[in-house]
Amino acid sequence: MKFKNIVATTLVLGLSTAALAQSIGKPEDQIRWRQSGYQFMNWNMQRIKANIEGTYNKDQVIQAANTVAAIANSGMGALYAPGTDKGSGWHETNVKPEFFQQDKKPRLGEVASAFNKEANELAKVAATGDAAAVKTQFGKLGSACKGCHDDFRKEIK
Amino acid sequence: MKFKNIVATTLVLGLSTAALAQSIGKPEDQIRWRQSGYQFMNWNMQRIKANIEGTYNKDQVIQAANTVAAIANSGMGALYAPGTDKGSGWHETNVKPEFFQQDKKPRLGEVASAFNKEANELAKVAATGDAAAVKTQFGKLGSACKGCHDDFRKEIK
């Protein structure tokens, strides 16, 4: 189970040796890029929420869900290279020290896998245009986001 | 031709009435979100460049090209609502006033269409794993980016 989770972390976060060898950017670049990825997902999550709560536009939800899935699949783990546990991108990083701790890797693998799974599932469900199913799956993705925030992100002031 | 370009702008930038009706966020949110989208593409473009110039990792290039294509297809035009011609997101917007001018819409349509076309083509080429073809297509996408920067983005200090 532990090994499985480590493998999952490696795959999902792109933390393979090959990926790290290709890791680019200074720590401040990596922090800015990952903050940008989360912010762009933020927009897309808010768009989906607005569609669920207001007038449902199938095409817009598909666009938004596909974007979140692509970012989830982008291998953002490469943006957490050693030395990026502290420092500023657009602002000081909110990452907790636990993210970089060996003994937390299984939990990191779990939350990262859950996030990828639910994001890809939302893209599939969005394609059907079934607003009720999107609402349910959007809730699951939100819970997956929260799972990581609770354990690995400092409270944002 | 003019009408075609306007339609292209509408489709590519998501500036349809429906999309604007769903436009969300304050001007500062929209500016921050679009700056985040461009920064996240920046990371992915730099990753592709590093792969072309260094050791070529097919899977990493696919991840990066798919991410750029998804952002290109995300309908970012909705993040240029009236009132977002000035102001700050992460920093003061670099958009030129021309972006919002009626008489520049055909040109905006051209550059937006070119960007989408080349980004989607790069994702297709990346899937083949042909490094030489990726290099050529990456150059075409870079030119498409520059086409928009030249006309619609202020010089970044």
Side-chain angles (χ1 to χ4, degrees):
Chain A
M1 182 65 181
K2 198 178 170 186
F3 177 72
K4 192 183 154 200
N5 281 331
I6 291 170
V7 171
T9 311
T10 304
L11 290 174
V12 169
L13 294 176
L15 292 170
S16 67
T17 312
L20 281 180
Q22 296 275 1
S23 184
I24 56 165
K26 297 176 191 165
E28 60 265 34
D29 297 324
Q30 294 200 358
I31 297 171
R32 190 182 67 252
W33 288 330
R34 69 199 194 201
Q35 289 171 342
S36 295
Y38 295 123
Q39 271 296 320
F40 205 66
M41 285 198 281
N42 178 356
W43 169 48
N44 286 284
M45 292 296 280
Q46 290 204 33
R47 276 205 291 176
I48 298 168
K49 187 167 179 279
N51 272 274
I52 291 170
E53 294 174 353
T55 308
Y56 193 87
N57 179 316
K58 180 186 171 183
D59 292 336
Q60 198 176 68
V61 174
I62 291 173
Q63 275 184 330
N66 284 347
T67 306
V68 173
I71 296 176
N73 295 332
S74 72
M76 283 180 76
L79 296 175
Y80 289 86
T84 64
D85 54 327
K86 285 183 184 145
S88 282
W90 295 120
H91 56 78
E92 199 179 319
T93 182
N94 292 315
V95 74
K96 284 186 183 173
E98 284 83 348
F99 188 100
F100 298 90
Q101 289 171 11
Q102 278 300 323
D103 64 335
K104 295 294 192 301
K105 291 240 177 288
R107 174 65 185 150
L108 185 57
E110 273 175 19
V111 295
S113 293
F115 168 54
N116 268 47
K117 176 178 167 284
E118 304 302 356
N120 285 312
E121 186 61 27
L122 182 60
K124 276 187 208 163
V125 175
T128 68
D130 180 342
V134 164
K135 187 179 177 180
T136 302
Q137 185 55 33
F138 181 75
K140 288 186 188 174
L141 177 54
S143 297
C145 293
K146 190 176 180 299
C148 189
H149 294 178
D150 286 348
D151 286 17
F152 297 107
R153 190 179 70 160
K154 288 177 201 157
E155 199 64 45
I156 293 176
K157 300 130 207 160
Chain B
M1 183 64 181
K2 199 178 171 186
F3 177 72
K4 192 182 152 199
N5 281 331
I6 291 169
V7 171
T9 312
T10 304
L11 290 174
V12 169
L13 294 175
L15 292 169
S16 68
T17 312
L20 281 180
Q22 296 276 359
S23 184
I24 56 164
K26 297 176 191 164
E28 60 265 33
D29 296 325
Q30 294 200 358
I31 297 171
R32 190 182 67 251
W33 287 331
R34 70 199 193 201
Q35 289 171 343
S36 296
Y38 294 123
Q39 272 296 322
F40 205 67
M41 285 198 280
N42 178 355
W43 169 48
N44 286 285
M45 291 297 280
Q46 289 204 34
R47 277 206 290 177
I48 297 168
K49 187 166 179 278
N51 272 274
I52 291 169
E53 294 174 353
T55 308
Y56 194 87
N57 179 316
K58 181 186 170 183
D59 292 335
Q60 197 175 70
V61 173
I62 290 173
Q63 275 183 331
N66 284 347
T67 305
V68 173
I71 296 176
N73 296 331
S74 71
M76 284 180 76
L79 296 175
Y80 289 87
T84 65
D85 54 327
K86 285 181 184 148
S88 283
W90 295 119
H91 56 78
E92 198 180 322
T93 182
N94 291 315
V95 74
K96 284 186 183 174
E98 285 82 349
F99 188 99
F100 298 90
Q101 289 172 12
Q102 279 300 323
D103 64 335
K104 295 294 192 303
K105 292 241 177 287
R107 174 63 185 150
L108 184 57
E110 274 175 18
V111 295
S113 293
F115 168 53
N116 268 47
K117 176 178 167 284
E118 305 302 358
N120 285 311
E121 186 62 26
L122 183 60
K124 276 187 209 163
V125 174
T128 69
D130 180 342
V134 164
K135 186 178 178 181
T136 302
Q137 184 56 33
F138 181 75
K140 288 185 187 172
L141 177 54
S143 297
C145 294
K146 190 176 179 299
C148 189
H149 293 179
D150 286 348
D151 287 15
F152 297 107
R153 189 179 71 160
K154 288 178 201 158
E155 199 63 46
I156 295 177
K157 299 130 208 164

